[in-house]
Amino acid sequence: MAYDRFGRNLNYLRISLTDRCNLRCIYCMPEEMSFRENAEQLTDDELLVLVRLFADLGFEKIRFTGGEPTIRPNFLDLVQKIGSIPGIKFLTMTTNGTTLTKLAEPLMKARMKRVNISLDSLDPETYKKITRKGYFENVWAGILEAERVGMTPIKLNSVIVRGINESDAVELARLTIDRPWQIRFIEMMPFGVITDLQLKQVVTMEEVKARIEESLGKLHLENFGKLDGEARVFRLEGARGELGFISSVSDPFCYSCNRARLTADGRLRLCLLREGEVDLLTPLRSGASLDEMRELIKNSLWEKPWGNLLSEGVVAVNRTMSEIGG
Ligand code: SAM
Ligand code: SF4
């Protein structure tokens, strides 16, 4: 089992399979995004070696993310191979949902039983404005297909941006009245190339909650306030589904953080909101033994930091969200 110096047991690895994406969400990356060369990225074999080492250290849950994880070449094959590594018990991913109509069924067969799908609006025009490229109908069909094949409960991730989709928060929350889904609102954070939008158009979770309550009635705290992952969960009176609120700035969850992140270019990142990273790719390519690599990972995990510095105005600028894997 892997622990850090604060006694947290680390067992959850989020893997950014690629920094590339088929969308260009306005809060995530610039329209003219430049991506890393393929040679700088972990190959499938290198990734498998690293995941086996994490599994040796007691990691049992893997989340694929990115960029858009499903556009990595050989994605399904990789999911199958990683899912069969001894010790890996839970496979999931965060996706923009654009490929789910095709992939939901094969993913279920590859033992991926759940996914989080990003959707910021139910209005096709607003959706297009936010993603710059996406088609709402395609993603909606993907969500329904994921539900049909049993990837449940469906969890949707939504970022609310001032002046763009504030009213969508209510419409998204309304979905939970009849559907047993969890809609998770994520407060926008500044990353990488910090834009005016990331700084000036933030809508706080308190505001999102207030808007929802004003239109749909009181929200009731679920699970006695215990976090579900990073979300604090509420339910509308009589609703079948739930609402989750994620605010890494005003409501950090460092005490329960059990995660580490692996970037597509082989860096171990121990906190989403801090720049510190450990290069695993270079020693791996320079012939370090498996024991040496395992020791390097174990010692790096020990140093996992506590507390993000956003509230002190310190922003991680070395990567965009799409490069870290949100
Ligand atoms: N492409 C996939 C997707 O969109 O679900 C996975 C990667 S994306 C970086 C993961 C999550 O990060 C998405 O739910 C997205 O909405 C969120 N995200 C991206 N940029 C963000 C930002 N600046 N602040 C908060 N969340 C952000
Ligand atoms: Fe792509 Fe996801 Fe970033 Fe949108 S949030 S640009 S879908 S990586």
Side-chain angles (χ1 to χ4, degrees):
M1 296 239 265
Y3 284 91
D4 70 5
R5 66 208 155 100
F6 300 105
R8 292 175 293 189
N9 175 210
L10 309 178
N11 56 16
Y12 175 12
L13 184 64
R14 296 169 74 107
I15 304 174
S16 172
L17 284 183
T18 172
D19 60 340
R20 288 162 201 261
C21 190
N22 51 354
L23 303 184
R24 295 284 184 280
C25 301
I26 51 173
Y27 46 71
C28 181
M29 57 169 86
E31 193 158 13
E32 301 305 325
M33 179 75 181
S34 56
F35 298 104
R36 281 167 210 268
E37 295 296 322
N38 280 342
E40 291 174 33
Q41 314 258 336
L42 288 167
T43 63
D44 290 4
D45 286 345
E46 287 165 343
L47 185 56
L48 286 164
V49 167
L50 290 180
V51 178
R52 277 191 210 104
L53 293 174
F54 277 96
D56 286 352
L57 290 168
F59 278 67
E60 48 188 30
K61 176 171 173 181
I62 304 282
R63 176 179 296 275
F64 299 110
T65 173
E68 174 50 31
T70 62
I71 65 166
R72 174 163 172 139
N74 301 328
F75 171 64
L76 272 177
D77 184 50
L78 208 46
V79 173
Q80 260 151 6
K81 286 185 175 146
I82 289 182
S84 11
I85 291 176
I88 300 301
K89 296 186 186 142
F90 308 101
L91 275 190
T92 182
M93 76 169 163
T94 304
T95 173
N96 59 28
T98 51
T99 57
L100 277 179
T101 47
K102 282 200 198 112
L103 288 182
E105 192 151 1
L107 281 170
M108 266 302 266
K109 288 193 182 129
R111 297 200 304 128
M112 187 183 283
K113 305 253 166 63
R114 281 226 38 263
V115 288
N116 285 43
I117 305 155
S118 301
L119 183 72
D120 304 323
S121 176
L122 298 177
D123 171 51
E125 265 179 44
T126 312
Y127 181 78
K128 180 111 197 176
K129 199 166 170 186
I130 293 175
T131 60
R132 293 192 183 111
K133 281 173 181 266
Y135 293 100
F136 168 80
E137 291 78 7
N138 175 23
V139 175
W140 186 253
I143 295 170
L144 297 183
E145 175 64 0
E147 186 172 46
R148 187 191 70 78
V149 302
M151 293 177 133
T152 53
I154 292 288
K155 292 190 181 182
L156 303 187
N157 288 355
S158 304
V159 175
I160 302 300
V161 184
R162 182 157 326 276
I164 308 246
N165 65 338
E166 289 141 300
S167 57
D168 291 271
V170 173
E171 295 319 309
L172 286 159
R174 203 189 296 278
L175 289 175
T176 65
I177 296 175
D178 295 326
R179 297 171 195 264
W181 296 359
Q182 190 183 83
I183 314 293
R184 300 150 67 90
F185 294 100
I186 308 173
E187 205 163 82
M188 183 163 59
M189 294 172 278
F191 278 101
V193 190
I194 306 166
T195 58
D196 262 10
L197 175 123
Q198 287 177 341
L199 297 175
K200 297 188 184 144
Q201 286 167 252
V202 174
V203 182
T204 65
M205 286 303 100
E206 278 316 305
E207 187 180 334
V208 174
K209 230 167 119 215
R211 276 177 171 269
I212 294 170
E213 290 198 311
E214 198 180 298
S215 300
L216 302 176
K218 191 162 171 42
L219 285 167
H220 303 280
L221 191 62
E222 293 276 289
N223 309 331
F224 303 100
K226 195 168 163 278
L227 292 179
D228 174 13
E230 64 274 62
R232 207 161 300 279
V233 179
F234 294 79
R235 192 184 290 269
L236 288 162
E237 190 77 43
R240 293 183 69 204
E242 298 172 331
L243 297 170
F245 294 89
I246 302 171
S247 170
S248 309
V249 187
S250 55
D251 190 12
F253 54 95
C254 305
Y255 60 89
S256 64
C257 185
N258 59 350
R259 321 155 165 203
R261 290 181 155 80
L262 185 59
T263 65
D265 58 342
R267 269 51 175 187
L268 175 60
R269 182 152 173 143
L270 295 155
C271 174
L272 173 68
L273 294 161
R274 294 217 192 191
E275 289 192 347
E277 293 176 353
V278 179
D279 178 5
L280 300 181
L281 181 71
T282 306
L284 192 64
R285 286 198 180 159
S286 319
S289 70
L290 290 181
D291 284 342
E292 284 166 342
M293 288 304 299
R294 196 183 298 103
E295 210 47 30
L296 172 63
I297 295 171
K298 193 172 163 198
N299 292 338
S300 310
L301 292 169
W302 180 255
E303 298 298 333
K304 178 175 163 71
W306 184 292
N308 69 63
L309 304 175
L310 268 186
S311 52
E312 292 157 41
V314 182
V315 173
V317 291
N318 59 343
R319 287 179 191 268
T320 59
M321 184 72 144
S322 59
E323 290 173 312
I324 308 166

